[in-house]
Amino acid sequence: MPPHPVIEVREGRRPGWQLALMGLAGVLALALIGSGAVWLITGTGDGRDAAPGGQDPLPTETVDASLAWEQPIPDVSDGMIDAPGTWVSGDQLVRLMPEGLVAYDLADGSELWTVPLEHHAGNCRASISASEDRVAVLQGMECEFLTVVDIAVGEELFTIPHEATSGIALGSWDHPAIVGDIVAIGTASGGSGYSITDAQKIWEPRSDDNCRERGYAHVDETLIALMTCGNVLEFDQGSLRATAPSGEDLWEWEFGAEHEGEPFTVDSVISTSPLVVQARVGAMTERPVTQIWVIDDAYEEIAHVVDFDPQRQLRPCTTNVLDQCRGAMVSDGFLFLGSTPEGEGNAVIAFDLSTGTALYDVEPIGGGDIKPFAVVHGQVLAYQLADSQTEGMVVALDPETEQATPLMTLDRAQREAERTLMSDVIGDDVALLWHNGAFIMVSEKYYSHDEPGTPAVLVYR
């Protein structure tokens, strides 16, 4: 496949955030040396490798788990509550709730602390993952305030005004990403960045030309920036750029405005090693088709278009969120996606990223529905949904046997609670996590028509 046209990099095109990060590099290095800190992704909840958080080894024999504790959904007076934020810090489960950030003891569910969000309103976003046990939350009627919280101790570090997107969507599509000492916020009008140490803005949306950094992501301990040039719906050119927490440039993939004669949009970053992205190909007004691309090691062209069929496999990533890919797991050069349920269930499909082809299907044990949700110590974990006859199960996908191996069977008496919380494998509204032998299910969307006592959290061990 021929490479995309190379973007001409004009003098002055280097974004202000990179210059700011370079200036901070020396300060950060000294701080790291003095504190002995280590950059970690903790409690990602979006399918990234869970090993950096200091995970215990996976069980060598199947665990017959019981329900350790549960939490019901909050009261919903009318309509819906959208609470997209779930993290693990140490032995705490931290959730974004209507009243603020709430931490629970993973052992028994007791409430440990609450950080109130004074301006919490609307459907504002939070950082998908934490960095150094810190998360970023947008709040306010137009998501015009940025709050950073240390979730290890339950301390609000600061709340400062943020220039949110104006217009019909207000700021509800703005997303923060936090990496090291930097919080970056992507908006339709451009990106801005803040230093956590100083609680100060260190770069702001550019106004010198029509190029804008519209989105940021925290993937594989790097800050990823998506830049496009042109208007919101039809850009002329763009790039994905990765920067280390120290400010060091790692790589950049530049792309043109079309793929095989069709316009496209880069939706999400699934992996950085190799670089795997979800894109929508076709005009936005004409039902574009989701594709998955593997970018070559030189970050110059599309090496492979994965043999992905949106009619046969579940879309791995949430649209308009650069780093939420709960349906895609990458491990050891393979991509694992769930197939579309049909008949009596579905399967997990393994794709070889060196070729883009589908190699094999992993069928659920005894049939039913299955969803990959995490990579722990290099092993891909999947959840088999409970049905009316069979309890749910956590399994490991074994590439040697191309089969699912049971790690944990869930409390049989809780089948109905499981099925209420996780009714299917299609949606993205439930976070599934594995942490040191505990399997955690957290719903992040609640409705006024839900029955009282409907579970929002189930924790098994």
Side-chain angles (χ1 to χ4, degrees):
M1 181 178 298
H4 289 287
V6 175
I7 298 175
E8 178 185 357
V9 181
R10 304 189 303 274
E11 187 68 28
R13 273 286 301 278
R14 187 181 184 86
W17 70 271
Q18 283 190 292
L19 298 176
L21 284 175
M22 290 174 64
L24 284 170
V27 176
L28 293 174
L30 289 175
L32 285 172
I33 294 170
S35 66
V38 179
W39 301 106
L40 292 178
I41 302 174
T42 57
T44 60
D46 63 348
R48 313 294 185 195
D49 194 320
Q55 289 270 13
D56 290 345
L58 291 170
T60 57
E61 297 182 358
T62 305
V63 176
D64 185 11
S66 59
L67 181 65
W69 57 275
E70 63 180 305
Q71 282 282 338
I73 64 170
D75 292 333
V76 185
S77 57
D78 185 34
M80 177 194 73
I81 292 177
D82 195 11
T86 304
W87 308 274
V88 171
S89 173
D91 291 322
Q92 304 176 116
L93 173 67
V94 182
R95 301 168 60 202
L96 178 63
M97 299 289 288
E99 65 269 28
L101 266 64
V102 183
Y104 304 89
D105 189 317
L106 265 177
D108 58 17
S110 58
E111 189 172 318
L112 300 176
W113 51 257
T114 298
V115 174
L117 297 176
E118 179 182 355
H119 307 283
H120 198 38
N123 293 318
C124 301
R125 308 289 112 179
S127 56
I128 300 298
S129 57
S131 181
E132 289 195 314
D133 281 323
R134 298 182 292 197
V135 300
V137 181
L138 299 180
Q139 54 172 323
M141 290 302 298
E142 300 182 7
C143 307
E144 71 274 23
F145 292 96
L146 167 66
T147 297
V148 174
V149 176
D150 184 333
I151 60 173
V153 295
E155 177 187 356
E156 178 182 317
L157 300 182
F158 63 78
T159 294
I160 56 178
H162 154 63
E163 187 175 340
T165 298
S166 60
I168 188 170
L170 299 177
S172 61
W173 291 109
D174 298 352
H175 277 83
I178 184 167
V179 181
D181 194 58
I182 302 299
V183 178
I185 305 172
T187 76
S189 55
S192 55
Y194 299 82
S195 163
I196 297 176
T197 299
D198 301 328
Q200 296 289 328
K201 182 180 286 187
I202 54 177
W203 77 83
E204 57 188 14
R206 303 206 323 264
S207 58
D208 57 335
D209 57 31
N210 68 342
C211 295
R212 296 288 183 270
E213 288 173 346
R214 303 189 186 279
Y216 299 98
H218 176 182
V219 184
D220 299 335
E221 303 185 47
T222 60
L223 178 66
I224 310 294
L226 170 64
M227 181 171 68
T228 59
C229 302
N231 62 42
V232 174
L233 294 179
E234 295 181 0
F235 63 87
D236 303 318
Q237 55 194 19
S239 70
L240 279 175
R241 180 184 292 109
T243 302
S246 63
E248 175 191 0
D249 290 347
L250 298 177
W251 50 260
E252 182 176 19
W253 169 50
E254 299 176 336
F255 48 81
E258 294 184 340
H259 171 66
E260 297 184 345
E262 294 282 346
F264 71 90
T265 298
V266 174
D267 268 342
S268 305
V269 179
I270 296 173
S271 166
T272 62
S273 182
L275 177 58
V276 182
V277 302
Q278 174 181 293
R280 283 178 293 164
V281 180
M284 292 299 106
T285 57
E286 299 178 4
R287 299 178 66 88
V289 176
T290 298
Q291 293 187 3
I292 299 174
W293 299 344
V294 182
I295 311 306
D296 72 347
D297 291 341
Y299 304 100
E300 292 179 350
E301 60 184 82
I302 299 172
H304 308 290
V305 176
V306 174
D307 186 19
F308 168 80
D309 181 349
Q311 301 300 316
R312 297 179 55 246
Q313 290 104 36
L314 298 173
R315 187 183 65 194
C317 306
T318 303
T319 302
N320 296 317
V321 185
L322 198 58
D323 58 350
Q324 181 161 298
C325 296
R326 285 178 170 163
M329 306 302 125
V330 173
S331 179
D332 197 25
F334 292 88
L335 169 67
F336 295 84
L337 301 177
S339 66
T340 305
E342 56 182 60
E344 297 182 355
N346 73 329
V348 175
I349 304 174
F351 296 86
D352 185 345
L353 291 177
S354 66
T355 63
T357 58
L359 289 189
Y360 59 89
D361 294 2
V362 180
E363 301 288 340
I365 299 172
D369 290 325
I370 186 170
K371 183 171 187 173
F373 71 90
V375 180
V376 179
H377 295 306
Q379 294 197 46
V380 177
L381 305 188
Y383 167 58
Q384 285 193 208
L385 277 66
D387 58 30
S388 59
Q389 308 297 323
T390 309
E391 65 273 14
M393 188 181 304
V394 178
V395 300
L397 308 183
D398 188 343
E400 295 286 335
T401 63
E402 302 179 4
Q403 293 180 344
T405 302
L407 287 182
M408 176 182 285
T409 56
L410 307 183
D411 195 332
R412 185 175 178 82
Q414 302 299 323
R415 293 194 311 277
E416 288 306 312
E418 267 188 78
R419 295 176 66 199
T420 300
L421 190 152
M422 187 83 175
S423 58
D424 57 52
V425 296
I426 296 175
D428 295 323
D429 297 332
V430 176
L432 303 175
L433 303 94
W434 179 276
H435 183 76
N436 290 343
F439 177 57
I440 307 159
M441 308 175 68
V442 182
S443 174
E444 297 180 337
K445 192 168 287 187
Y446 322 113
Y447 299 89
S448 55
H449 58 71
D450 287 332
E451 294 291 331
T454 296
V457 180
L458 298 173
V459 177
Y460 297 87
R461 25 171 101 252

